[in-house]
DNA sequence: CTGTTAGCGCATTCAA
DNA sequence: TTGAATGCGCTAACAG
């Protein structure tokens, strides 16, 4: 169990000085080709790996970016994360993943930990309750997802547009009694924004609204389904694919009701089990890549703060 | 944008020496209560946060543990991860998460990256194809999940026991024609082990086996369902909850068939949508915690290499 | 109990 | 083109 080698050892073994080795490793400055080769040979031979923490301390740059997601088991979020990881690796960053579970306290704690680790940047999946104050000090090295916030770059979803698109699509399909199953307005985006969009869509399309708001899980979808599946209802828009699953369960138990279900989200499972669903997805992978790209841009040269708004796309076959 | 403070600054500001500050921070050694208070006050006042990388370099311990999972979007895996993160935090570790996507090359790469980062330990979610060679050098600081391997601690699932339990349970329920829908034997545990367990269970219970093997996704479950849902079949065991979803889709399209579905897994969704399913779950959260605990034990004092075998538990209401 | 000192492994001047 | 010297922020001996 010998100690790990250091550039000093490499220098000794290749008969040069530490700084030359450092130059070779970081591919900078002019090094005589022959010297370089010699050093590279030694490095390869001993499988030398320079210490990150030493470098980090010296250069004040850890090449780590922190990712704070609300829930590891959210399909949307882990799709986004999966998409950005390779991009980060590619630029030499590694990701430190933390879970907030929608707790602002945890976000603050995690941000502190990340600060202590001197991470170069952070990608934070927002949720209602987060305030600007909690993000103080991270301007220009933090990209916010799902939420926007003054002074921070962000990647958001066009919630209103999505509901609109769904509503008018259903109308074109001939539906006139389109109800809505959503989430408490307490949740700003998924809850409030989408619900209001539904209401205004109804106004525009001259439909009488019928809505029920609950929580995010499918149990809520199931429980509230009856309220938005009346005898007149011909279609229901679900704020979330998860909610749609609840509705489908309800509809299976009430087979006499013939209702078109539409939902925002992209759980492939939903489309698999219930092929006649109308789904609208934002492309979480795209969102993840966008966020990563923007963060990297911020870190290399001070790129301007920007907000991206992802439009939804229908994935139905109609 | 002033520079970050260092313990030197804190020492100066509180009129003491660096080491005393260090002692206070690390709560070690004896420090005069008054001095301690003074220092703590200064620290709080300036929101001083000691640099991790400096400490890491000095102590040769990064307090980071790497987690290599196969897929971020696997319910089983991210449940396990979610469970171990808090435990790791609690012990002062942070997690660096990497995704292998079932590629052994990526595992090797990631392991190298983690080595460079001088992580203290690794939790690796195994898959078929991994060899001992790839793990060389990580003995005693790597816990393997799902797979076992000489010289490494591991947390595995009792695949054979699970299938057995399921089979005998179904038999007790009166089923005599129990078929099996599984995964290619190419996949050692989920594929081979479970399949063989089914075959031997049939032998023991004196049943005639009927099986079909495919891939892991629900499409495969759907495609193969017909083969294992004959007119005589009264129950089918699915190697995976995902496969069960495929079977249910098939059964919905063939309502005349009345077949009891049983599956290994714990996607709550399955039980929600199809309450009559018989599910057997291993407790992925438990597995995650177990792995984390074992790793931490290894890191603190050289705990012996151990293999944990998680028994499955029926979650049906029968 | 406390301050001083000496590195940890590396990148970066500065001379050579 | 190169090596020697310096210090990043911190902990651990050691000496007071």
């Amino acid at each position: 169990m010998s100690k790990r080698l250091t550039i000093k050892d490499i220098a000794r073994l290749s008969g040069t000085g530490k700084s030359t080795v450092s130059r070779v490793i970081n591919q900078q400055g002019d090094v005589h080709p022959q010297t370089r080769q010699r050093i590279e040979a030694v490095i390869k031979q001993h499988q030398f790996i320079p210490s990150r923490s030493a470098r980090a301390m010296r250069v004040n740059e850890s090449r780590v970016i922190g990712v704070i997601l609300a829930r590891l088991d959210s399909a949307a979020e882990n799709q986004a994360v999966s998409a950005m990881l390779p991009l980060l690796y590619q630029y030499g960053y590694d990701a430190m993943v933390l879970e907030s579970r929608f707790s602002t306290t945890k976000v603050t704690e995690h941000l502190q930990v990340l600060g202590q680790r001197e991470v170069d940047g952070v990608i934070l999946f927002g949720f209602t309750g987060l305030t600007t104050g909690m993000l103080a000090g991270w301007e220009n090295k933090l990209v916010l997802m799902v939420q926007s916030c003054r002074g921070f770059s962000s990647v958001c979803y066009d919630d209103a547009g999505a509901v609109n698109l769904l509503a008018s699509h259903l109308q074109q399909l001939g539906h006139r009694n389109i109800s809505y199953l959503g989430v408490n307005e307490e949740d700003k985006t998924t809850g409030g924004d989408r619900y209001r969009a539904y209401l205004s869509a109804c106004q525009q399309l001259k439909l009488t609204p019928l809505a029920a708001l609950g929580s995010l899980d499918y149990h809520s979808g199931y429980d509230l389904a009856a309220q938005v599946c009346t005898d007149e209802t011909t279609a229901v828009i679900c704020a979330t694919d998860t909610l749609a699953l609840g509705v489908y369960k309800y509809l299976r138990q009430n087979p006499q009701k013939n209702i078109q279900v539409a939902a925002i989200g992209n759980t492939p499972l939903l489309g698999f089990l219930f092929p006649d669903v109308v789904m609208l997805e934002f492309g979480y992978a795209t969102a993840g890549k966008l966020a990563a790209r923007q963060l990297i841009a911020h870190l290399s040269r001070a790129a301007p703060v920007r907000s991206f708004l992802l439009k939804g796309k229908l994935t139905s076959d109609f």
Side-chain angles (χ1 to χ4, degrees), chain A:
Chain A
M1 194 70 155
S2 57
K3 286 229 162 300
R4 267 184 57 161
L5 283 80
T6 74
I7 52 170
K8 198 169 154 190
D9 299 312
I10 302 299
R12 185 171 36 77
L13 288 165
S14 51
T16 68
K18 298 193 309 179
S19 35
T20 312
V21 176
S22 180
R23 285 190 193 99
V24 169
I25 290 172
N26 301 314
Q27 340 226 32
Q28 67 174 221
D30 287 325
V31 175
H32 192 89
Q34 209 166 354
T35 320
R36 172 184 300 278
Q37 293 217 343
R38 197 149 33 93
I39 294 179
E40 277 171 347
V42 177
I43 288 181
K44 209 163 296 170
Q45 182 195 337
H46 294 270
Q47 295 182 253
F48 166 70
I49 294 176
S51 151
R52 281 273 203 178
S53 25
R55 180 178 213 287
M57 194 181 93
R58 186 63 234 255
V59 218
N60 225 31
E61 167 190 279
S62 60
R63 288 264 133 187
V64 174
I65 84 105
V67 178
I68 305 182
L69 44 171
R71 308 199 42 154
L72 218 43
D73 61 352
S74 143
E77 290 191 3
N78 70 45
Q79 266 180 57
V81 173
S82 285
M84 57 201 209
L85 287 186
L87 239 143
L88 294 175
Y89 297 160
Q90 190 183 317
Y91 281 85
Y93 292 96
D94 291 319
M96 194 148 262
V97 175
L98 304 169
E99 212 178 6
S100 73
R101 298 187 163 276
F102 299 105
S103 144
T104 55
T105 326
K106 281 207 179 270
V107 169
T108 314
E109 282 173 24
H110 288 156
L111 242 26
Q112 189 160 330
V113 170
L114 293 174
Q116 184 165 3
R117 294 243 177 237
E118 297 162 283
V119 298
D120 297 334
V122 172
I123 293 180
L124 171 60
F125 287 78
F127 50 90
T128 41
L130 278 182
T131 65
T132 325
M134 303 174 187
L135 276 42
W138 290 96
E139 295 78 6
N140 241 288
K141 41 168 140 180
L142 160 352
V143 173
L144 199 53
M145 304 269 308
V146 188
Q147 254 187 182
S148 73
C149 181
R150 276 189 67 85
F152 291 87
S153 280
S154 59
V155 177
C156 297
Y157 303 119
D158 180 12
D159 292 294
V163 176
N164 259 318
L165 194 56
L166 240 29
S168 53
H169 179 73
L170 289 173
Q171 200 216 26
Q172 276 170 31
L173 252 41
H175 295 283
R176 292 297 174 270
N177 288 293
I178 307 173
S179 60
Y180 177 81
L181 180 51
V183 179
N184 281 326
E185 300 195 66
E186 190 180 288
D187 178 312
K188 199 188 154 301
T189 54
T190 312
D193 290 354
R194 295 187 187 176
Y195 177 49
R196 278 193 303 280
Y198 166 71
L199 292 180
S200 79
C202 284
Q203 204 162 3
Q204 214 159 80
L205 303 176
K206 305 199 187 312
L207 306 174
T208 28
L210 170 63
L213 305 184
S215 66
L216 276 165
D217 57 315
Y218 39 69
H219 294 107
S220 173
Y222 176 70
D223 294 342
L224 297 177
Q227 295 182 32
V228 291
C229 295
T230 67
D231 293 337
E232 291 81 41
T233 309
T234 62
V236 53
I237 296 177
C238 301
T240 280
D241 44 13
T242 315
L243 291 174
L245 286 168
V247 171
Y248 269 113
K249 173 165 178 173
Y250 170 82
L251 289 177
R252 278 225 326 284
Q253 296 175 343
N254 299 71
Q256 78 285 4
K257 302 201 177 183
N258 189 345
I259 294 181
Q260 168 71 60
V261 178
I264 299 177
N266 72 341
T267 314
L269 185 60
L270 179 59
F272 171 73
L273 286 176
F274 311 103
D276 56 344
V277 69
V278 171
M279 266 166 67
L280 180 145
E281 66 145 333
F282 289 116
Y284 299 112
T286 312
K289 282 185 209 152
L290 223 51
R293 244 183 253 294
Q294 177 67 5
L295 183 56
I296 291 170
H298 272 223
L299 298 182
S300 42
R301 44 194 175 288
V305 169
R306 270 183 65 183
S307 285
F308 298 90
L309 190 65
L310 254 59
K311 296 278 174 194
K313 218 172 47 187
L314 285 176
T315 60
S316 65
D317 317 322
F318 293 70

